Amino acid sequence: MPAESLDVRAVFDRALELAKPERKAYLDRVRGAAPETHEKVEALLSAHEQAGSFMEGVALGSRVFVDDAIVEAAGMQIGPYKLLEQIGEGGFGVVFLAEQARPVRRRVALKVIKPGMDTREVIGRFEAERQALALMDHPNIAKVFDAGTTDSGRPYFVMELVQGVTITEYCDQCSLTARERLELLITVCRAVQHAHQKGVIHRDLKPTNVLVAMQDGRPAPIVIDFGVAKAINQRLTEHSLTAGFAQLIGTPLYMSPEQAELSPLGADTRSDIYSLGVMMYELLTGSTPFDKERLHAASYDELRRIIREEDPPLPSTRLRTVAASLATTVAASRRTDVRRLLQVIRGELDWIVMKCLEKDRNRRYESASGLAADMQRFLNDEPVQACPPSAVYRLRKLAQRNKGVLLAGVVVATALVLGTAASSWQAYRATRAERQAQVNLAKARQVVNEYFVRVSESSLLEDPTFEPLRKELLHAALGYYQDFVKQNADDSGLRAELAAAYFRVSYIHFVLGSEEDLLTPYEHGLALLEDLVRTNSNAADLWIPHTGRFRVAPAQFHVQRPAEALGTFKRARSLLEEMARQRPDSLALRADVALCYMAIGTLQGDLNHWSEAAEAKKAACEHWNQLALLDPEKRHYQAALVTQSMDLSQYLERLWQMPEAEEAARQSHDLAEQLVQQQPTPNHRALLGWSWLHQAGRLERAGELEAAEDAYRRASTAYEQLARDYPKVPRYRTQSFSAQCSLGCLFWESGRHAKAATTFREALATAEHLHEDDAEAQIALARFFASCPDPQFRDARKAAAAAQKAVARNPHESEAWYALGLAQCRLGDWHLAIDALQKSDELSPVPDGWSCFTRSIAHAQLGDADQARRWYDAALDCTDEQDAADAELRRLCAEAAALLDLNDVAERDRE
C-alpha cells in the first residue's frame, strides 16, 4: 500500500463501508503506510459520526445545526420502545434493535434521525420515508408499525425487524445457482412493482437494502430503507423534497445515469430498474458493472461521468476477463464451473441485464414486473423480450464516443446490414493489412449472425404482415453466408455457421406456417454438417456453439413428404450421435440427439407406425433421463422427460401393452408433480395440467370413471389458475375449456345428463374468455358447437364462425379445416363441407376415422351412396380399437351407418 497511492477521499469512502472491527484493521494498515492520510481520515470519520454523511444526507449548501441533545443509545427508552443495540446507520438516520412493551411485546427496528441532521430537507425526506413505507402492504417490503418524536423533538418510526442477511451474502453463503438467484430477484422485482404502483420509487436499491430472511423454511427477500424514496404522483409530506444543488441521492455503484446527471426530470421507476439490473449483474458475476475501487478513487465529476457515459461490459465478458482464480471461485459459489456458468449467462441473461443498464431510460424495461416477466421467461426456456441492441444503435453510440476512430468498422458493419456485404469482401481481398481485414471480416460475420438471430427469433414473427419482408431479409442474409463460404471454402467454422443459418431459415418457415418450404433449407444445413463431420475431426467443437438448432417442429414436416422428413431426421440423428461420440462431455450435443429421437418418434406416431414410434420415444426418454441426472439444475431436461413419457404411454396403449403404458404414464405424472413442487413455473404447471388430462383419458378408456372425473377436474383447475395468472397466454384458457368439455362428455356417456348440462354451461362460461385470434381455441369451440352430445348446446352457425376464424388464423392446420368441414356439414352445406374435409386430408399425413365418417355423411346427404360407402369403409379401415372407444367417433359412425342403412354392419364393426 504505497503512500503515494492513498487518496484521502478513497480511504474515507472505503472505511465508511466497513463494519467497525474491519474498519479498525483497515485504518491500522493505512497508518503504517501513510500516517498523514490516516490522521486526515480519522478526523473525517469523527466529523461524520457527529454530523452524518455529506454524500447521502444533506444537500450541499444546506445549513446543519448540531445541537446538544442527548444521543440515543442502548438502554434508553423512546415511548414504549426500549433500545437494545444499534444495528445500522445511514446518512441521516440511526437504526436500533428495540423491544416494544405495549400494547404487544415484540422486537422491532426503530429508526431515529441523527442529532444535527434536522435541516428542513432531511426532516422532509425522513418523513417521506415514513409515509412511503406506510403506503406499502407487501410481504416482501418491511412494514411500518408506529411513528412519533423523541423527547428532544427528532422524528422516529418503528418498522418490522428483518432478521436476515443481504441478498448477495445469502446467495453466496448458500451457494445458490444462477437460476435460484434469479428466482429470488424476481420476488424483489414484484415487491418493487408494488411500491411503484403505490406511487413510490426507492432510488437506492442495492444488496444491503434487500435482506433475505427465512419464512416457513423458505428464503424471503425483504426490501428495506425507503429513506430516499420519492413520490411519483403524490405529495408524501408537507416538507419539500427538492434536492439541493449538486446533491446525489443513492449509492454510486447502483445509481442510474439520470440520478448521476442530476436531471431536471429526476428519477422515475426506470431508475429502480437500473439498480435492479446492477443487482442482477452482481448476483450472476460476483461483481458490479463498474469497478468498486475505481469509483471510490474517482473525483466527484469523474464518478458522474463514468455512470453517465461509460458502457459496462456484458456480464459474460466480465466473468471471462477476471482472474481465473476469481472466476473459479464465483462459479463454485453458484455450484457450477466457469464454462457452464458462462453458457448460462451468455446470450439471453446478458441481454436482460444490459437492457436494465441502458443509459437511455426509454430503452429499459418499462416496469419491474416487465423485468420479472422476462427473467421468468428465461427460467421457463421461453424466448425473452430483451435482445441485443441493433447494429445501427451500437454503431451510433460508438461514433458519438469515438468520432473518426471507428469509421472503418462502421462502414463494414453498415454495409453488411444494408445489403452491401460483398464490398467488404472485396476490400478484404485487396487490402495489404490482412490481419486487420480478417478482424473486420470477423466483425462483419458477427453482425450478420446477430442479425440472423434477431430476425429468426423476433416476436414480430407472430405478425403475418411482415412475412414477405422477413423472408426477403433472411434469404439476403443467407446469401451473404453463401458468398463467404464460396470465397473461403476451407473455413470450417464458417460452414458450421452457414449450417446453423439454414436451420434458422427452416425455423422461420415453420413459425410462418410455410410447411412446404421447411424441408429444403433443413436438408441443406444437414448436408453441410455431414460434410463437416466427414472432413473435420473437430466437427463437434465447431458445432457446439450452434447446438439447439434442430428445433423445427417435426410434426410439421409430414405435410407434403412425411417419409422423406422421417429419413431426414434419421440422418440428423446419426450425425449428431457421431458428434456426441467425439465430445461425450457435451450435454448440449446429447440434448440434440434426444431432440432427434423425439422428432422421429413423433413422425412415426403421426404415420400410425406405433411400434417404431414407441421405440424412438423410449430412446428419447432414456436420453432425457440421463441428461436430467447429469445436470439436475436444467429443469427443461426433466420437462422433456415428462412429455416424452406421456407420448410413450400413448403409443404403448395403442400397442395394447397396458402395464407398460400405465407405468410410463405414472412416471410422467410423478415427475410433473415433482417439477411443480420444486419450481412452480407456468411451463411446469401446464405440464402437470396436461398430465392430468392424459391420465383422465386413460382412466376413462379403462372404465374408471370416478378417477377419470377427478383427473379432468384437476386438469381444468390447473389450467384455469394458469389462465388467471397469465391472461395473455391463450392456450391455458383453451385447455381449461377442453378439459371441461371432456368432463361433460364423460357425464353424458355415463347417463348423468343433468350433471353434463351443468358442466357444459361452465365450459361455455370459460369459452367467453377464449381468444378470438387463437386457432386452437377456435377449433375447440367449433368442435363443441358442432358435436356436443347434448343437443341443446349445438349451434352450427357458431361452429362455422369459429372454424372460419381458425382457418383464417392458421390455414395450414388440418384440424382447423376438419372443424370447418364438420360445421358446414351441420349447416347442410354438403359441397362446402366436402371441400373443407378434402383440404384437411391433404394436410394430414394419414387419414383418420373422424374425417372419413364425416365425408361419408356429406356424400350420403348428396345422394352419392357409392362415395358415401367408400368413405365409410375407409373410416373403418383406419379406426383402431383405441379410436373406436371415442364417443364422438362412435356417434359419427352411427350417423353415417344410418344414412347408408348399415346399422347392423356398424353394430358388428363396433363390437
Side-chain angles (χ1 to χ4, degrees), residues 561-594:
R561 299 170 285 174
E564 187 177 344
L566 187 58
T568 297
F569 268 97
K570 287 182 177 179
R571 285 168 56 204
R573 179 195 60 193
S574 299
L575 185 64
L576 289 164
E577 285 179 330
E578 174 61 29
M579 287 196 286
R581 282 190 288 270
Q582 293 178 13
R583 281 291 304 273
D585 61 318
S586 172
L587 299 189
L589 278 173
R590 294 172 69 171
D592 271 355
V593 173

